[in-house]
Amino acid sequence: MQDELIARAQAWLTEDPDADTREELAKLIDAEDTAELAARFSGTLQFGTAGLRGELGAGPMRMNRSVVIRAAAGLAAYLKKKAQPEGAEQAQGDKEPAEPALVVIGYDARHKSADFARDTAAVMTGAGLRAVLLPRPLPTPVLAFAIRHLGAAAGVEVTASHNPPRDNGYKVYLGWGHPRTESGGGSQIVPPADAEIAAEIAAVAGLTTVPRPDTGWETLDDTVLDAYLARTDAVLAPDSPRTARTVYTAMHGVGKDTLLAAFARAGFPAPALVAEQADPDPDFPTVAFPNPEEPGAMDLAFAKARETNPDLVIANDPDADRCAVAVKDGEGKDGEGRGGEGADAGWRMLRGDEVGALLATHLVGRGARGTFAESIVSSSLLGRIAEKAGLPYEETLTGFKWIARVEGLRYGYEEALGYCVDPEGVRDKDGITAALLITELASVLKSEGRTLLDLLDDIAVEHGLHATDQLSVRVEDLSLIADAMRRLREQPPTELAGLSITRSEDLTQGTDTLPPTDGLRYTLDGARVIVRPSGTEPKLKCYLEVVVPVASHAGLPAARAKATDLLTTIKRDLSTAAGI
């Protein structure tokens, strides 16, 4: 077994085009570190609907140039079968040859991102496709916009979003819609495309069979970025107030320049920057995890807010497709006001569901028409807002790859800080345009002497207090997640927090409206729980919601106290039932 493992590692080493990973792997082979080699050669990093994502390093179970070149070759083969126009490679008679299918490639500022992007461009060019690279590390929404703007057959974004510094990833978009509809062009892949691309990747014999010319692709100038920024104008009402003052953190990612340019175009006051996190840094030195939802990630932003006293705090994740919002809450984390988890000395993070409801209410107030959509793990409040406004509403599986494919989509959101406010421009979550829209709303409310929290109170009185929370467990051993899911399936709870479970659904079977997915959904009287493994991180995630009727603003404190108590007890009981 050891000899076979060493032989596989040596064979991989001979093809590895990266000096860094060759050196790393050679040291492991020389040391005969079979434990580490087994971890890297126990299989292959699987390509799925999230594309690829994993820890950087040598070997087929890590993210590296060899893995990316194989993935790009598989994607190119898939595109040539599905998207390459007839006659692209050779003119027929007197006809002019058709243009090769276009693939646009973007990347963030993580370690190896630029290398992975260039390798992808080389592979696409070598396969006879037309490849264009974005001019530098830019937000993922710019790549998603470019696919639709340029009429590309596909797009690739090299990013690991908000994962730890040691990770990188490879996200694939298709320029055409869902197989059953025409919707969703320019959004992330869904089945069956993921499996078909994975099969083409598996068919790649070796790197020596993959042509990779040194030139032949195009590196774009700022024209596409300028077009994206021009498109952001459509997000805002023409004559809306633009007075709200903000603090902004890019979380060491690529969002700063694009967000500042968008805010300047819109006429908002220039955001006060969290200088320590403003510029790209792949090591993310000031945060344990570069995710605004993680404990401590917003500490520097809150410190800047205490210094500058803005109307709201805005944060992007490192690839700027998510948008976090924090507001001033006079009581802070130590008081009895509207603060809660994430409150810090008078400032607290709004939950993704709260921002989702605020943006929906703002769009309804501006007369938006079309379908409002969200994933099953997001608050049911959006459905009530849409119903009251007479708008279509749809619920999807988790992930914007599903939300983006909703027919007639006007607005979509997911509780994990993702918002699609301009689906005609970007068929994905977009942290830049979401930041613009929430700042417009804050400006409108400011002109009325009100705040985002005041509007949240109004929403609760109108639709009921929808309070959400999450039980999220990060693991080193993925078998713990499988064990928890198996335990819940074999010994399902019959009640949580004293509330009887009126309906249990194993989502692996699918439903009338949802395709199969690995998850469990429990419906209770006035509450809902969904349990699922994360698709991008080693986490088990449990999404909790309780709905408490509220007769008037005076009843809100009691309703909040009841909701908090219910959520705390549900979380405790669910943790016990799952054994986590």
Side-chain angles (χ1 to χ4, degrees):
M1 179 66 73
Q2 177 176 332
D3 291 345
E4 180 184 345
L5 185 62
I6 295 292
R8 289 209 307 272
Q10 287 174 331
W12 184 275
L13 181 64
T14 61
E15 286 195 332
D16 192 336
D18 190 319
D20 294 336
T21 46
R22 281 202 310 273
E23 179 181 1
E24 176 187 321
L25 185 55
K27 288 179 179 178
L28 293 175
I29 294 171
D30 290 343
E32 296 186 352
D33 188 342
T34 53
E36 185 61 27
L37 288 172
R40 292 161 182 257
F41 287 86
S42 59
T44 58
L45 206 58
Q46 292 301 301
F47 185 93
T49 54
L52 293 169
R53 192 173 292 190
E55 185 177 346
L56 290 163
M61 288 294 290
R62 298 289 186 266
M63 281 295 297
N64 52 65
R65 291 182 62 196
S66 296
V67 165
V68 165
I69 290 167
R70 286 177 168 83
L75 175 60
Y78 170 84
L79 292 174
K80 292 190 74 170
K81 290 180 179 178
K82 298 284 187 177
Q84 182 80 306
E86 291 184 11
E89 295 181 352
Q90 180 178 346
Q92 299 293 322
D94 295 330
K95 294 180 181 179
E96 291 292 325
E99 283 289 323
L102 173 65
V103 181
V104 58
I105 303 153
Y107 56 103
D108 66 12
R110 284 178 177 264
H111 293 295
K112 298 293 181 181
S113 286
D115 293 337
F116 295 167
R118 283 192 295 270
D119 281 332
T120 301
V123 171
M124 296 300 163
T125 302
L129 303 174
R130 181 184 166 213
V132 296
L133 276 172
L134 294 186
R136 58 186 172 279
L138 287 168
T140 293
V142 177
L143 180 278
F145 168 83
I147 297 166
R148 294 170 69 86
H149 181 70
L150 298 175
V156 172
E157 177 70 17
V158 180
T159 181
S161 187
H162 55 277
N163 275 38
R166 64 179 181 271
D167 290 358
N168 213 327
Y170 197 82
K171 188 183 295 187
V172 175
Y173 297 73
L174 292 179
W176 61 87
H178 190 280
R180 293 185 296 276
T181 73
E182 291 303 315
S183 65
S187 54
Q188 297 173 52
I189 56 170
V190 296
D194 57 341
E196 293 172 358
I197 295 169
E200 297 289 353
I201 295 170
V204 177
L207 297 194
T208 57
T209 68
V210 180
R212 286 185 292 132
D214 294 328
T215 60
W217 59 89
E218 177 186 356
T219 299
L220 299 173
D221 58 19
D222 279 351
T223 303
V224 168
L225 176 60
D226 292 343
Y228 168 81
L229 289 169
R231 177 75 201 183
T232 64
D233 296 343
V235 173
L236 304 176
D239 300 317
S240 62
R242 311 284 169 92
T243 58
R245 296 171 53 250
T246 57
V247 159
Y248 173 70
T249 175
M251 206 66 67
H252 298 296
V254 299
K256 180 194 72 175
D257 291 345
T258 304
L259 182 132
L260 291 180
F263 269 54
R265 284 183 65 95
F268 288 114
L273 298 178
V274 179
E276 302 93 328
Q277 298 174 334
D279 295 320
D281 187 331
D283 294 319
F284 306 104
T286 68
V287 290
F289 293 95
N291 180 353
E293 295 179 293
E294 292 285 345
M298 295 290 289
D299 287 354
L300 290 171
F302 289 146
K304 189 70 175 180
R306 290 193 293 271
E307 174 190 326
T308 59
N309 193 33
D311 297 297
L312 69 164
V313 175
I314 291 173
N316 287 139
D317 67 338
D319 69 327
D321 62 351
R322 300 170 194 253
C323 177
V325 179
V327 295
K328 191 184 301 181
D329 185 354
E331 300 297 335
K333 65 181 177 182
D334 298 318
E336 298 299 327
R338 290 172 291 191
E341 185 179 347
D344 185 286
W347 287 86
R348 78 163 174 100
M349 282 272 290
L350 294 180
R351 292 188 177 279
D353 286 316
E354 292 177 307
V355 176
L358 287 168
L359 293 175
T361 301
H362 185 41
L363 289 171
V364 167
R366 282 179 28 186
R369 309 306 297 171
T371 301
F372 280 28
E374 64 180 341
S375 67
I376 58 173
V377 300
S378 304
S379 171
S380 59
L381 176 56
L382 184 67
R384 297 196 180 193
I385 293 171
E387 182 182 16
K388 182 76 176 287
L391 296 175
Y393 164 77
E394 190 163 329
E395 192 178 57
T396 76
L397 291 184
T398 308
F400 261 84
K401 56 186 174 285
W402 297 108
I403 295 171
R405 285 175 161 73
V406 168
E407 286 289 338
L409 181 67
R410 174 58 185 88
Y411 169 65
Y413 98 92
E414 191 159 64
E415 57 76 41
L417 311 182
Y419 314 95
C420 177
V421 301
D422 178 27
E424 291 306 307
V426 175
R427 208 79 178 182
D428 198 3
K429 55 186 178 291
D430 183 345
I432 305 298
T433 51
L436 287 170
L437 195 62
I438 197 69
T439 307
E440 178 186 60
L441 175 57
S443 298
V444 171
L445 293 168
K446 184 177 181 179
S447 71
E448 301 168 352
R450 286 157 42 84
T451 68
L452 295 175
L453 290 179
D454 293 326
L455 181 54
L456 282 173
D457 286 351
D458 294 347
I459 293 169
V461 171
E462 183 175 2
H463 301 288
L465 177 66
H466 289 62
T468 58
D469 201 354
Q470 190 177 130
L471 173 62
S472 181
V473 181
R474 185 182 293 272
V475 300
E476 293 292 333
D477 182 358
L478 291 176
S479 69
L480 296 176
I481 294 177
D483 290 345
M485 295 296 291
R486 182 170 57 252
R487 178 170 175 164
L488 288 171
R489 287 188 169 104
E490 293 175 353
Q491 304 173 47
T494 57
E495 67 172 32
L496 295 169
L499 302 174
S500 295
I501 294 177
T502 58
R503 186 180 184 188
S504 295
E505 297 170 275
D506 186 342
L507 299 177
T508 56
Q509 307 303 311
T511 72
D512 291 343
T513 58
L514 298 171
T517 188
D518 186 8
L520 300 164
R521 178 163 60 182
Y522 305 120
T523 303
L524 303 88
D525 184 17
R528 183 215 64 194
V529 173
I530 293 175
V531 184
R532 60 178 286 272
S534 170
T536 57
E537 298 178 271
K539 285 182 176 181
L540 180 68
K541 304 185 84 170
C542 310
Y543 304 85
L544 323 176
E545 179 180 41
V546 298
V547 182
V548 181
V550 187
S552 67
H553 284 75
L556 281 169
R560 286 197 180 92
K562 180 178 180 180
T564 298
D565 181 61
L566 280 172
L567 288 169
T568 300
T569 310
I570 290 173
K571 188 183 294 189
R572 181 199 67 201
D573 292 352
L574 183 63
S575 179
T576 300
I580 54 176

